[in-house]
Amino acid sequence: LSLDEGNATRRIGLLSANNKLEYLLKYYLPYNGFPDMWIFSPPFHHESLHHNLTVLKVDSNYLINIMNSFVPVRTKIIFMADARKCNDKLPKHILQTNKQQMNVSMNERIDQMNRLWYAALRPKIDNSKNWNVLLDATKITCPLVCTWHIDGAHYVGVWYKLMSEYILSILCHS
């Protein structure tokens, strides 16, 4: 690839990546610096509507493997399972679609997805210096789930503040 910069032409090599995450891990972060901590929390709201567990298992293993391949040991990776959704605030068509497609409620589906992730991550944590904390936001948020939701899926600011404090308290005590 050549860029014309006035009187000078500069050649740039094309970077090869299969997706945005791979590009981020292979090219962007090594050049700009990896963070000391990476909090990974998959938002299963949309996935619960469209993905079957077989696809999610393949996706989770791919993501774990690619992160293990490129994230340096000094970066601590924290996995936080998705929290419960507030069915009272979710649009009825979302609840009906989820129940029809998956034959379970959205929260049951999210619980299934979280268990799948935990099963995929458990051996990685035992053999990794990166993956070392598993947090279950489902259990933490269960009593106040509808209080902390704007629309049944997205959270109010206090939720993020409390989750940040919770993560920091765990890290400070370990």
Side-chain angles (χ1 to χ4, degrees):
L1 177 64
S2 297
L3 295 178
D4 186 15
E5 297 177 345
N7 294 334
T9 300
R10 186 170 56 139
R11 297 208 31 92
I12 299 173
L14 294 176
L15 305 176
S16 173
N18 293 315
N19 52 51
K20 289 178 187 176
L21 178 64
E22 190 174 308
Y23 172 82
L24 181 74
L25 293 171
K26 281 174 72 173
Y27 303 111
Y28 181 80
L29 288 173
Y31 180 75
N32 292 292
F34 277 88
D36 294 329
M37 181 186 345
W38 188 323
I39 300 172
F40 177 70
S41 182
F44 286 148
H45 173 73
H46 299 283
E47 285 78 2
S48 71
L49 297 172
H50 305 293
H51 288 73
N52 66 42
L53 292 178
T54 304
V55 170
L56 184 68
K57 186 172 186 173
V58 169
D59 290 350
S60 65
N61 285 323
Y62 170 77
L63 184 121
I64 292 165
N65 289 334
I66 194 170
M67 290 185 80
N68 282 345
S69 297
F70 294 106
V71 176
V73 173
R74 68 171 182 76
T75 297
K76 183 180 289 236
I77 303 172
I78 297 172
F79 175 80
M80 186 168 75
D82 197 11
R84 290 201 157 294
K85 306 307 175 203
C86 179
N87 290 336
D88 294 343
K89 292 184 179 180
L90 284 169
K92 297 299 178 218
H93 74 277
I94 297 284
L95 294 171
Q96 290 169 345
T97 300
N98 194 278
K99 191 74 169 173
Q100 289 168 353
Q101 289 181 353
M102 305 300 173
N103 203 28
V104 294
S105 73
M106 181 172 288
N107 284 325
E108 290 169 324
R109 187 66 173 171
I110 289 169
D111 288 344
Q112 290 173 347
M113 293 177 157
N114 285 338
R115 283 193 302 275
L116 186 141
W117 269 98
Y118 281 134
L121 281 170
R122 177 56 56 202
K124 303 297 182 192
I125 289 172
D126 292 341
N127 298 314
S128 173
K129 292 181 173 69
N130 296 75
W131 296 89
N132 51 13
V133 179
L134 294 176
L135 300 176
D136 190 348
T138 303
K139 303 241 184 326
I140 299 166
T141 59
C142 200
L144 298 170
V145 68
C146 287
T147 306
W148 291 344
H149 276 100
I150 296 169
D151 57 5
H154 302 95
Y155 307 105
V156 297
V158 70
W159 185 88
Y160 296 101
K161 180 181 181 293
L162 292 171
M163 290 298 109
S164 299
E165 290 172 359
Y166 181 68
I167 291 167
L168 287 173
S169 70
I170 289 172
L171 293 173
C172 289
H173 286 95
S174 61

